[in-house]
Amino acid sequence: MIEIINLSKTFNSHQVLDGANLDIRDGETMVIIGRSGGGKTVLLKHIIGLMQPDAGQVIVEGEEIFRLTPEELGRLRLKFGMLFQGAALFDSLTVGENVAFALREHTPMGEEEIQERVRECLELVGLKGVERQKPAELSGGMRKRVGLARALAMRPRVILYDEPTTGVDPMMADVINRLIKQLHDRLKVTGVVVTHDMVSAYKVGDRIAMLHEGKIIQVGTPEEIRGTSNPVVRRFILGISDNGEAKVS
Amino acid sequence: MKPAAAESVTRRLIAPLGESSLAFFSYLGGSSLLLWQILIGFGALPWGRWVVNLALPWRWKVLRNDRKWQLVLDQMEKVGVASFPLVFLTSLFTGMVLALQTAYQLQKISAQLYIGALVALSMTRELGPVLTALVIAGRVGAAITAELGTMRVTEQIDALHTLSTDPLRYLAVPRIVALGVMLPMLTFYADLIGILGGYLVGVYKLGIGSSLYMNMTWNSLRFKDFFTGLFKAVVFAAIISTIACYEGFETEGGAEGVGRSTTLSVVISFILIIAADCFFTALFYFVFP
């Protein structure tokens, strides 16, 4: 479904991705773990073509996305939904208009049909009657769920989640984890989750990949990762810092 | 001086020059590219249909439901209608001050009669377009940059991309169209209001006869005075909206970054407006004397 091949990216002489390779299968939920600032979000943004790599490629259903024209890329992106870390809702629009955004832009659907779909998507993420509110009136957890509803509106085949549980309380994190699991089980969407929350990683992941110093150093099922012998991965999942000292980067 | 020291001095002097000229040209290139892309997006809008719909009143309902038209209308309201009070005050007072200041000078040679002509010509040819553009750059240009910059740093621009929507078409084109239409309109009003300000001072304070003042005003004005002013306004609108959108889209670095690009947007717009004004005034002076 999605192949990431030798992806490299440098920001101001800081090598963020250094030949990352990863193969994401159709219908699975792939969790990418790694340290904050370690390039997980950058990797995710390359998958949907929000960033251009210095080298390497991403192939989605046989199409090399960095070679596509803007129109072709736009068409391809309709198959994707993305949940941003801060939800990235359009704050000039209401919740309903946010969720309906892609429907109004890209489908010939009538107003009633759109409202129906909006209600359905909001219900799927456990929200009701918030269509007329502005994003600023919502709590962080609600905003994330609206962001997810917006990502779901076009019935995408792939959903990219950027730190879905960061910045929400543990119970809301559990609600979001369950949602991701549900989408995977019921709608059979492919998921790519970027997180450093190991509770979430074990709960939602079919497979987990560890990104370290710009490379994917291990890929495996949650059980395999739990029982890994790789010292870097072990230290990360158990939450032990290098040499027991706080390393500031 | 040793060669090594000389080299290091040269390097210290020349390198920043190279860097800043590089930065200058990349800015010029980047913003011109943006304007070019906007113009392409502009061409891609269903203009023909709009014109037809605008001309036929019973088709206005269709326009009201057209999303792109709606975006432009929203911006026109924000940019133009909401700016009117500020433009009104600025140009009214400018017209009044202009009349008073010229009276101060013209009284010495007993030529107060010419105040009307002076106010009318300075407003339409120069002060109307320039003052309005500066006010709008401060009020609207800054707001555009701050809004787009915030959207950039909160990933809303990225979100637009993921929803297969081109931010240039969705955000920049409506703003440049709205400014392109509204700034000349505001300028036209500013001209008239400035003349009104001059009239108030001239007639009620300096005691020039009302009809005499109006005659002096209208007889001195030519169509080309209005036209060159409005032409400048169109150019200023392109400057303000291009710089504002460019600075907004290029914002990085959180709240501080938004503040920085907003300041830059206003400063660069001001400088370019003044420079463009000088250029076009000279051009019109020599081409249409």
Side-chain angles (χ1 to χ4, degrees):
Chain A
M1 176 90 201
I2 300 169
E3 277 178 85
I4 298 164
I5 301 163
N6 271 327
L7 209 59
S8 295
K9 179 78 180 175
T10 305
F11 287 113
N12 305 328
S13 76
H14 173 58
Q15 184 103 29
V16 180
L17 295 178
D18 183 13
N21 283 289
L22 188 63
D23 192 3
I24 299 160
R25 297 173 197 148
D26 205 356
E28 77 172 341
T29 300
M30 169 66 81
V31 178
I32 299 169
I33 57 173
R35 301 194 53 172
S36 299
K40 303 188 297 289
T41 302
V42 172
L43 183 61
L44 201 66
K45 285 190 173 173
H46 276 93
I47 295 178
I48 194 166
L50 287 176
M51 286 181 179
Q52 287 282 334
D54 299 333
Q57 45 183 301
V58 172
I59 299 175
V60 178
E61 294 187 320
E63 291 189 275
E64 273 181 52
I65 66 164
F66 302 117
R67 295 210 175 164
L68 299 179
T69 63
E71 291 77 31
E72 291 170 324
L73 188 59
R75 192 172 36 74
L76 185 74
R77 277 175 178 154
L78 293 176
K79 294 181 192 168
F80 282 88
M82 180 158 180
L83 172 59
F84 286 86
Q85 194 172 346
L89 300 177
F90 305 126
D91 35 33
S92 55
L93 305 179
T94 64
V95 167
E97 287 166 341
N98 263 283
V99 178
F101 191 90
L103 301 173
R104 294 216 170 100
E105 287 286 311
H106 302 294
T107 68
M109 285 165 77
E111 197 48 36
E112 264 172 49
E113 213 180 335
I114 287 177
Q115 289 309 328
E116 184 54 39
R117 177 77 70 89
V118 167
R119 202 158 35 243
E120 185 188 309
C121 289
L122 284 171
E123 255 167 44
L124 207 59
V125 298
L127 292 172
K128 246 185 186 175
V130 291
E131 281 97 331
R132 287 173 183 283
Q133 282 178 319
K134 283 284 180 86
E137 299 166 38
L138 304 179
S139 72
M142 279 166 97
R143 273 213 286 276
K144 282 217 159 155
R145 285 189 283 166
V146 174
L148 187 53
R150 185 178 68 185
L152 288 172
M154 290 291 283
R155 305 228 163 103
R157 309 241 336 265
V158 186
I159 301 181
L160 310 177
Y161 306 87
D162 189 6
E163 311 254 358
T165 57
T166 302
V168 297
D169 67 77
M171 285 169 77
M172 183 54 76
D174 191 55
V175 171
I176 290 172
N177 286 335
R178 267 186 224 186
L179 267 169
I180 297 174
K181 196 99 187 94
Q182 234 179 40
L183 290 171
H184 168 250
D185 295 344
R186 284 200 351 223
L187 303 177
K188 307 288 177 225
V189 291
T190 309
V192 185
V193 184
V194 151
T195 187
H196 50 234
D197 172 1
M198 286 314 296
V199 178
S200 168
Y202 289 137
K203 194 168 266 172
V204 302
D206 292 322
R207 290 197 299 157
I208 298 175
M210 168 91 186
L211 181 69
H212 182 69
E213 290 178 349
K215 290 186 177 68
I216 299 288
I217 55 169
Q218 192 177 11
V219 185
T221 61
E223 289 70 38
E224 284 166 4
I225 293 291
R226 228 188 274 264
T228 180
S229 57
N230 186 320
V232 178
V233 181
R234 271 197 79 72
R235 273 210 301 278
F236 182 83
I237 61 176
L238 297 174
I240 303 166
S241 63
D242 306 337
N243 311 322
E245 281 172 43
K247 189 178 163 190
V248 183
S249 58
Chain B
M1 204 187 283
K2 285 176 191 166
E7 193 197 318
S8 95
V9 168
T10 327
R11 200 175 279 275
R12 258 210 326 272
L13 289 177
I14 302 291
L17 206 69
E19 268 170 35
S20 49
S21 51
L22 212 61
F24 172 74
F25 283 114
S26 85
Y27 194 93
L28 202 68
S31 50
S32 315
L33 205 63
L34 180 84
L35 184 64
W36 173 240
Q37 283 168 325
I38 287 172
L39 289 176
I40 289 177
F42 204 41
L45 288 170
W47 271 110
R49 221 178 63 215
W50 281 9
V51 173
V52 172
N53 286 342
L54 257 183
L56 310 172
W58 62 90
R59 300 279 293 172
W60 287 354
K61 225 179 106 191
V62 182
L63 273 183
R64 210 166 46 222
N65 295 330
D66 184 329
R67 272 171 56 75
K68 292 197 181 85
W69 177 246
Q70 197 61 54
L71 288 173
V72 177
L73 273 187
D74 282 351
Q75 288 303 320
M76 281 179 165
E77 212 258 322
K78 273 191 199 169
V79 167
V81 182
S83 299
F84 185 76
L86 186 61
V87 170
F88 178 87
L89 284 179
T90 316
S91 42
L92 183 73
F93 289 136
T94 306
M96 291 167 79
V97 168
L98 209 54
L100 282 172
Q101 293 286 23
T102 47
Y104 173 72
Q105 305 242 339
L106 294 180
Q107 263 165 356
K108 290 178 191 160
I109 52 167
S110 311
Q112 288 115 302
L113 262 185
Y114 291 96
I115 291 173
L118 214 145
V119 169
L121 284 175
S122 356
M123 279 315 292
T124 52
R125 294 181 65 101
E126 189 63 34
L127 290 172
V130 174
L131 278 180
T132 311
L134 292 180
V135 164
I136 295 299
R139 187 187 178 275
V140 175
I144 291 176
T145 306
E147 187 182 1
L148 299 188
T150 308
M151 288 185 78
R152 161 64 75 199
V153 301
T154 56
E155 296 186 308
Q156 290 179 52
I157 306 260
D158 280 345
L160 273 175
H161 279 297
T162 66
L163 295 166
S164 305
T165 302
D166 181 4
L168 281 183
R169 293 274 299 271
Y170 185 76
L171 297 170
V173 171
R175 283 167 174 78
I176 200 168
V177 173
L179 255 177
V181 175
M182 294 315 258
L183 192 58
M185 278 178 141
L186 285 171
T187 302
F188 182 71
Y189 281 120
D191 293 349
L192 295 184
I193 295 160
I195 290 172
L196 174 75
Y199 173 89
L200 292 178
V201 169
V203 173
Y204 296 104
K205 175 72 182 58
L206 305 173
I208 302 169
S210 171
S211 60
L212 185 60
Y213 190 97
M214 288 320 282
N215 273 338
M216 287 306 286
T217 299
W218 298 130
N219 288 342
S220 65
L221 281 177
R222 296 279 170 279
F223 171 73
K224 74 169 186 199
D225 299 324
F226 269 109
F227 174 77
T228 53
L230 296 184
F231 180 85
K232 281 183 189 174
V234 175
V235 175
F236 297 158
I239 290 174
I240 296 169
S241 48
T242 308
I243 297 298
C245 291
Y246 182 73
E247 282 296 335
F249 284 138
E250 294 292 304
T251 301
E252 41 188 47
E256 198 197 350
V258 175
R260 198 170 40 231
S261 41
T262 308
T263 311
L264 262 182
S265 161
V266 175
V267 171
I268 294 172
S269 296
F270 270 40
I271 295 172
L272 288 182
I273 286 168
I274 303 289
D277 180 52
C278 182
F279 174 77
F280 282 106
T281 305
L283 186 76
F284 291 136
Y285 183 79
F286 291 116
V287 176
F288 312 108

